[in-house]
Amino acid sequence: MPGKLKVRILAGRDLPVMDRSTDLTDAFVEVKFGSETVKTDVFKKSLNPHWNSEWFIFEVEDNVLQDEPLEIRVLDYDTYSAHDAIGKVYVDLNPLLSKETPNMISGWFPIYDTMHGIRGELNIIVRVELFTDVNKFRQSSCGVQFFSTAEVPSGYRLQIIHGFVEELVVNDDPEYKWIDKIRTPRASNEARQRLFSRLSGELQRKIGVKVLDLGGNAIIGYYQCFDLEGESGIVARGIGTVVNIAKILQQPPSPQGVSPLLKDLRLYSIPHRHTQQSVTPPTRYTQHSVTPPSRHPRKIPTASPPPSAPPSLPGQSAFSFAFSSPVPEDTLAPSSPPVQPVRSTTSPVKMVPPSQTNRRSSDSDISTNTPPKGSSLTGSSGSGSGIGSGGKSVSKLSAQQPSIDLMEYPFFTMTSFPVGFISHLGGVVSAKSVKLLDKIHNPEEPETRDVWWLEIRTEIRSHMRAMGCHAVLGYTEQTSICDEIIVLSASGTAARVQVTSDTIPSVKSSTQPLVPSMDRLQLDKDREKRLFVDVNLANQVSQNRLSYEQGDEVSPTFQCSLCHIPYKSTSLPFPVNLSSCAICRKKKVPDVLFTTIDLPTEIQTHGKGSLIQARVCKGKLKAKGELSAKEVSDSLPFLEYELHNQLMNKLKLRGMNGLFGLRIQISVGDTYLIGIATATAVFLSALPPPLIPKVSGPVTSDRECNQLNDLQRKITETVQRNKEIHELNNLDTGQTSPRSLLTDDSEDDVSELELSTGNKDTFILEVDDTRDQNIASLLRDSVLPDWVQMCNTQKMPGTTDQNMICNLQMFTQVLRREFNPAVTSNSALSDMFENLIRKICFKLRKMAPCCVCNLDFNIDLPEENEIQINLTGVCIGLSDVWTMYFPL
């Protein structure tokens, strides 16, 4: 498919001074794409030049548009010497190659120099024109969209999930070529930067070809990274979940009767035209909380869309288009045969008969001996009620679709799933492998690395099946490289998901009535009538607020089955303490639950969430080759054990029993290993409440006995303080919750477990002496200020979407210090992370009250005795809905 690339250079601003005699710059621009280069005129003596050039046109193939970046270079003109480089602008053209996105981009782009950083801005216009050319043998994949979001992006609805896809490409590292010895540091850096852009484009093109072969049009949960393997080269890896998505088109508002307070009135349910004029009171529940917050007496209502909006179910994502217009009928996806869907919608629905499609599963290129296996999760469409971002109900799947058990790798890279998609959560599964880079037979080819990752994925799949599950959610892959050693790791959450039409649970909505299918047709016709909003409705809003404050509480529908074990209690995959579900009293649940995904909206919780992090450092001998690899391989199990032990201890001290968003990173240095585990702790109502940990250890004197009692007292005070902070004091889990929706009502016919002897309800903390550093580090965790909440998930558990509506701000913090594990303990490593968190709180103090979400810690060991910690996250300002819309 041939195409045209058009570029126009308009102006520049804030350029650096390149001529010391005049304190000005004679700037001009070089535009390079592929092997063709064009230049603008020189704009003399100005730091804010205006070129207003003509259109530069490049005619290339579409695969070149995907692989090659647009390279724009700004230089200072010199008459008698080489032109001085100011900086470059790289433009990735892949976002302009989709039919769903505009084919033009314009604006001010930062001019970046690898030696001096940002050096001004450049105003450009880039336009891409593609010509339709049907060629089944083409190597391009124009039109495939890539999303690195944890869920379905806002403005789209999910139609089909095809499964897991992966790809990697290899290239030589420019810094290890002979020419690097004679060129300048700037030229060496730019060669690497240019290679990164080209590898990223080539990787996306190859993954896009696999997506088209599977019948998809987008990738969700896309993850891409570069492995710098030294002399072996640079490896670009990418994984994601292949899906079919459709854009939600917004319907223009009615020109008649539009109220100026319409944006405010969208917070409440608007009566239907065929019913009596009454306003439905907003619900009084917090999304993940049953007990109202004791520290915030003001209640927060749940938003309800107007009748012209698509369905909004409990727990809908804060970043989805909750009030978008219905999707046109011609964009609907194939669905199952006519059944009676359980919907909560106010817009017309069209049920489309199923169509025959042939798809095959994604697999590595090296496994050619495996027959293609087709499997996809298909949702019935209609007004955004299909599978969607956090909170949309799962549509019934087509009975003609194959089972998910036939997928080669049933991995899903998303972390947030629609309501009803998850049936049972099993727990975290992980696999690690230590390899030697100098053992690669052909470093220029990807076959050896494909085999390595195939072993990791096969082990993950075997762990998943051992837990009685058939899918892995929140799947991630990571590497850590030190000299010739590379540590490959993968992790995810084993789970059972709903993939057949007869197992999808009905999801009820507290804001819209459920009507029979025959009555729904008449109801949809009534809703197609033009909606008039009267200004007097603002008075009803005020009455609605009063009725809400005085009315009865309407609670959401929860499903305790997600916490039920997916395996039989008589054949446990690993030692675990089981008890009856605290909600239904029928099925078995574990005492704690660890997952790598965000908290599903169907799980009932108490109180607020809390950020938990474990840090461990272990020394190792400075060796080379197989001896070093063997030592790292032997140390990894003990390192992971200490990480999980710290997580368990900190979880008990907070009085909670569940971890979500678990991320573990292992970094390998010359003389030590560092591991960090970050997660968000919550209290799950279905699991038994944890008791206060008991301290146990050898006592040889009365003084040690008193010190042990004092340590026990501190632990008890810490637990009580954490319960007050996270609103866990008044817990009532002794009775069955009437708000729980049970999906499996069968009797519990499994045999009782014979657990180990001793006190099964007590969590013991073993200490070597009263000055045990591990116990001391647990008690030294800093307490966050009252105005900030922190988590590493997309959303803070216990906080409603209506609170997170202002002051969205991303931040980055880098900390680099000397670190010698021979003289530095684990407590000093923990102090580094605590200081980093305190710095973040200090920087964000002007945004109080706020919630810091999606925290991502990354550790790098650049030198032998240095450590660098990178922290990124998103700060969201919190606000009371009533205070915002009805200030006192």
Side-chain angles (χ1 to χ4, degrees):
M1 182 190 305
K4 284 185 178 182
L5 172 62
K6 298 181 179 181
V7 183
R8 189 181 179 192
I9 309 299
L10 299 181
R13 64 185 180 188
D14 300 332
L15 298 184
V17 175
M18 304 299 292
D19 189 355
R20 295 302 178 184
S21 61
T22 61
D23 289 339
L24 296 172
T25 299
D26 301 331
F28 71 99
V29 179
E30 285 185 356
V31 181
K32 181 180 179 181
F33 186 76
S35 59
E36 187 176 356
T37 303
V38 294
K39 301 179 181 180
T40 65
D41 297 332
V42 179
F43 198 93
K44 295 284 187 176
K45 299 181 180 180
S46 176
L47 300 181
N48 300 285
H50 292 270
W51 293 283
N52 291 325
S53 69
E54 60 182 8
W55 287 98
F56 300 119
I57 301 177
F58 304 88
E59 295 184 358
V60 292
E61 294 293 330
D62 51 356
N63 59 337
V64 180
L65 289 172
Q66 289 188 284
D67 290 355
E68 295 290 338
L70 176 62
E71 183 178 344
I72 303 175
R73 187 181 184 187
V74 185
L75 302 101
D76 175 62
Y77 180 81
D78 288 331
T79 305
Y80 301 106
S81 61
H83 305 314
D84 297 328
I86 298 178
K88 286 188 176 183
V89 174
Y90 287 92
V91 179
D92 184 8
L93 301 177
N94 280 280
L96 305 180
L97 303 179
S98 175
K99 296 180 180 179
E100 301 293 334
T101 57
N103 63 344
M104 185 184 71
I105 184 173
S106 62
W108 291 94
F109 291 78
I111 303 173
Y112 178 75
D113 181 66
T114 58
M115 303 297 294
H116 300 94
I118 303 298
R119 309 187 77 184
E121 294 178 310
L122 190 66
N123 191 0
I124 62 176
I125 301 176
V126 180
R127 184 191 301 272
V128 176
E129 296 179 0
L130 289 177
F131 305 99
T132 304
D133 183 16
V134 180
N135 183 7
K136 63 179 180 180
F137 301 105
R138 65 176 184 172
Q139 296 299 318
S140 65
S141 57
C142 295
V144 177
Q145 297 178 275
F146 287 76
F147 299 96
S148 61
T149 56
E151 58 185 2
V152 180
S154 60
Y156 292 88
R157 60 183 179 87
L158 191 59
Q159 295 175 320
I160 304 172
I161 301 180
H162 296 286
F164 177 74
V165 67
E166 52 79 26
E167 185 58 82
L168 62 86
V169 294
V170 185
N171 203 309
D172 294 334
D173 193 342
E175 291 195 3
Y176 288 86
K177 292 183 179 181
W178 66 268
I179 196 175
D180 191 68
K181 298 179 180 179
I182 60 175
R183 59 185 174 187
T184 62
R186 174 182 281 108
S188 179
N189 294 339
E190 290 179 354
R192 227 184 195 187
Q193 186 179 12
R194 190 183 308 111
L195 178 61
F196 286 155
S197 299
R198 286 179 39 228
L199 288 180
S200 178
E202 181 183 356
L203 181 65
Q204 293 186 36
R205 176 178 60 83
K206 291 186 176 181
I207 291 181
V209 171
K210 291 186 176 182
V211 172
L212 295 178
D213 291 341
L214 292 171
N217 63 1
I219 286 185
I220 298 178
Y222 180 66
Y223 176 80
Q224 176 181 303
C225 68
F226 297 95
D227 298 333
L228 307 182
E229 298 181 352
E231 295 182 357
S232 300
I234 297 178
V235 179
R237 297 183 293 108
I239 60 175
T241 303
V242 183
V243 297
N244 276 87
I245 58 176
K247 200 166 187 179
I248 299 178
L249 303 180
Q250 294 187 358
Q251 183 178 3
S254 173
Q256 302 184 20
V258 177
S259 171
L261 298 177
L262 180 59
K263 61 179 182 179
D264 297 345
L265 301 181
R266 283 186 174 184
L267 290 171
Y268 309 98
S269 297
I270 301 178
H272 304 310
R273 301 294 298 176
H274 67 285
T275 59
Q276 296 180 354
Q277 296 295 325
S278 62
V279 178
T280 305
T283 55
R284 289 183 62 189
Y285 67 88
T286 304
Q287 183 176 357
H288 298 295
S289 177
V290 176
T291 306
S294 59
R295 304 176 69 184
H296 303 283
R298 190 183 297 274
K299 308 299 182 182
I300 304 298
T302 299
S304 301
S308 60
S312 177
L313 298 180
Q316 196 166 23
S317 171
F319 304 104
S320 61
F321 284 176
F323 308 118
S324 302
S325 301
V327 179
E329 297 178 354
D330 55 353
T331 61
L332 299 181
S335 62
S336 56
V339 293
Q340 182 176 348
V342 181
R343 297 178 180 270
S344 175
T345 181
T346 57
S347 51
V349 177
K350 178 180 179 180
M351 304 301 294
V352 182
S355 59
Q356 300 293 336
T357 56
N358 295 324
R359 305 178 179 89
R360 59 180 190 274
S361 173
S362 171
D363 196 1
S364 177
D365 292 338
I366 63 173
S367 57
T368 56
N369 56 345
T370 304
K373 301 176 182 180
S375 177
S376 59
L377 310 180
T378 310
S380 64
S381 56
S383 276
S385 61
I387 302 176
S389 60
K392 299 183 180 68
S393 62
V394 176
S395 304
K396 293 193 175 182
L397 306 178
S398 173
Q400 300 178 0
Q401 293 295 327
S403 171
I404 193 176
D405 296 327
L406 300 179
M407 297 180 66
E408 186 69 19
Y409 297 105
F411 302 159
F412 301 90
T413 56
M414 300 100 72
T415 59
S416 181
F417 298 88
V419 173
F421 181 80
I422 304 175
S423 176
H424 300 282
L425 291 174
V428 175
V429 291
S430 64
K432 290 178 175 59
S433 178
V434 182
K435 302 293 183 181
L436 287 173
L437 295 175
D438 54 8
K439 298 296 183 180
I440 301 178
H441 300 292
N442 191 0
E444 293 80 12
E445 299 297 331
E447 282 79 7
T448 303
R449 301 169 181 86
D450 278 329
V451 172
W452 291 351
W453 286 112
L454 182 61
E455 294 174 356
I456 294 291
R457 297 176 188 126
T458 303
E459 185 175 352
I460 290 287
R461 185 178 58 186
S462 63
H463 293 334
M464 170 199 72
R465 293 174 178 174
M467 298 185 67
C469 302
H470 57 212
V472 176
L473 311 180
Y475 178 76
T476 58
E477 295 178 350
Q478 294 179 349
T479 59
S480 178
I481 301 175
C482 179
D483 294 332
E484 70 276 10
I485 298 177
I486 178 173
V487 179
L488 298 87
S489 60
S491 62
T493 302
R496 299 189 67 87
V497 297
Q498 303 281 5
V499 294
T500 57
S501 58
D502 56 346
T503 57
I504 297 297
S506 60
V507 182
K508 299 180 181 180
S509 173
S510 60
T511 59
Q512 301 291 346
L514 297 178
V515 297
S517 57
M518 297 300 296
D519 297 338
R520 183 175 299 280
L521 297 177
Q522 182 62 32
L523 179 60
D524 292 338
K525 293 180 179 179
D526 295 337
R527 289 170 182 167
E528 290 178 354
K529 298 179 180 180
R530 180 168 297 174
L531 177 64
F532 296 88
V533 181
D534 191 79
V535 178
N536 294 329
L537 191 57
N539 297 330
Q540 298 182 8
V541 171
S542 301
Q543 297 177 1
N544 194 21
R545 174 185 179 184
L546 181 61
S547 62
Y548 161 74
E549 295 177 348
Q550 299 177 353
D552 297 332
E553 182 179 10
V554 181
S555 299
T557 300
F558 299 103
Q559 300 179 29
C560 64
S561 62
L562 272 72
C563 299
H564 298 167
I565 58 174
Y567 42 83
K568 294 183 180 180
S569 59
T570 55
S571 57
L572 300 177
F574 48 83
V576 59
N577 296 330
L578 299 179
S579 60
S580 299
C581 177
I583 298 180
C584 66
R585 304 293 183 181
K586 294 182 178 181
K587 296 295 182 178
K588 294 293 184 180
V589 295
D591 55 346
V592 293
L593 180 62
F594 287 9
T595 70
T596 59
I597 63 174
D598 292 350
L599 178 66
T601 57
E602 307 99 301
I603 294 184
Q604 184 178 355
T605 63
H606 282 79
K608 299 185 299 184
S610 173
L611 180 69
I612 285 184
Q613 190 173 66
R615 309 111 180 179
V616 175
C617 177
K618 293 183 67 68
K620 77 177 187 69
L621 297 177
K622 189 175 183 180
K624 297 292 184 180
E626 294 184 0
L627 290 178
S628 180
K630 183 179 183 302
E631 186 174 2
V632 171
S633 180
D634 294 340
S635 302
L636 283 179
F638 298 97
L639 183 68
E640 284 195 282
Y641 173 79
E642 293 186 22
L643 286 175
H644 283 82
N645 189 37
Q646 282 192 28
L647 288 176
M648 185 70 71
N649 294 340
K650 293 186 177 183
L651 185 66
K652 298 294 183 179
L653 288 180
R654 282 169 172 77
M656 301 181 184
N657 52 19
L659 289 181
F660 289 87
L662 178 61
R663 299 290 182 270
I664 298 179
Q665 181 190 355
I666 306 295
S667 298
V668 182
D670 293 332
T671 58
Y672 53 92
L673 300 174
I674 291 182
I676 59 171
T678 310
T680 300
V682 295
F683 183 89
L684 304 177
S685 303
L687 272 59
L691 300 180
I692 297 178
K694 302 297 181 181
V695 178
S696 175
V699 178
T700 58
S701 62
D702 294 340
R703 178 183 178 184
E704 291 184 356
C705 182
N706 294 333
Q707 291 177 346
L708 205 64
N709 293 333
D710 184 63
L711 185 60
Q712 180 65 56
R713 178 184 58 80
K714 292 181 179 179
I715 291 178
T716 303
E717 293 176 355
T718 302
V719 173
Q720 295 297 333
R721 183 180 70 251
N722 288 333
K723 287 185 177 181
E724 293 178 0
I725 294 176
H726 302 105
E727 303 171 2
L728 297 175
N729 281 329
N730 300 322
L731 295 179
D732 184 14
T733 58
Q735 297 180 356
T736 302
S737 173
R739 290 163 290 191
S740 174
L741 175 63
L742 302 180
T743 59
D744 43 358
D745 296 332
S746 58
E747 297 182 358
D748 191 6
D749 54 355
V750 296
S751 59
E752 294 293 333
L753 296 176
E754 295 182 2
L755 302 176
S756 58
T757 59
N759 192 346
K760 298 175 291 184
D761 298 330
T762 305
F763 185 77
I764 305 297
L765 294 178
E766 296 286 346
V767 296
D768 298 331
D769 54 67
T770 55
R771 296 181 301 274
D772 193 299
Q773 292 184 357
N774 294 330
I775 303 299
S777 62
L778 297 178
L779 301 176
R780 197 169 55 247
D781 278 354
S782 60
V783 179
L784 297 177
D786 295 337
W787 50 266
V788 64
Q789 305 175 31
M790 285 192 178
C791 66
N792 71 326
T793 53
Q794 298 291 322
K795 178 183 175 183
M796 169 60 73
T799 304
T800 59
D801 295 343
Q802 287 75 25
N803 293 96
M804 306 182 189
I805 51 179
C806 60
N807 295 338
L808 185 66
Q809 179 67 47
M810 179 181 176
F811 62 87
T812 301
Q813 183 73 30
V814 180
L815 176 65
R816 185 164 181 168
R817 290 184 179 178
E818 293 185 359
F819 183 77
N820 189 357
V823 297
T824 306
S825 60
N826 285 336
S827 60
L829 179 63
S830 298
D831 291 339
M832 294 184 186
F833 285 88
E834 296 296 336
N835 292 334
L836 189 60
I837 293 177
R838 283 193 288 267
K839 287 183 179 180
I840 292 297
C841 294
F842 180 77
K843 284 188 174 183
L844 301 177
R845 66 190 185 279
K846 293 184 179 180
M847 298 185 64
C850 63
C851 177
V852 180
C853 304
N854 202 21
L855 280 176
D856 183 19
F857 292 84
N858 186 25
I859 292 184
D860 189 22
L861 308 176
E863 301 294 339
E864 182 176 351
N865 292 326
E866 284 188 355
I867 181 174
Q868 178 173 304
I869 306 174
N870 304 323
L871 174 60
T872 59
V874 177
C875 181
I876 305 176
L878 300 180
S879 177
D880 193 331
V881 172
W882 294 118
T883 304
M884 172 173 289
Y885 290 98
F886 305 98
L888 298 177

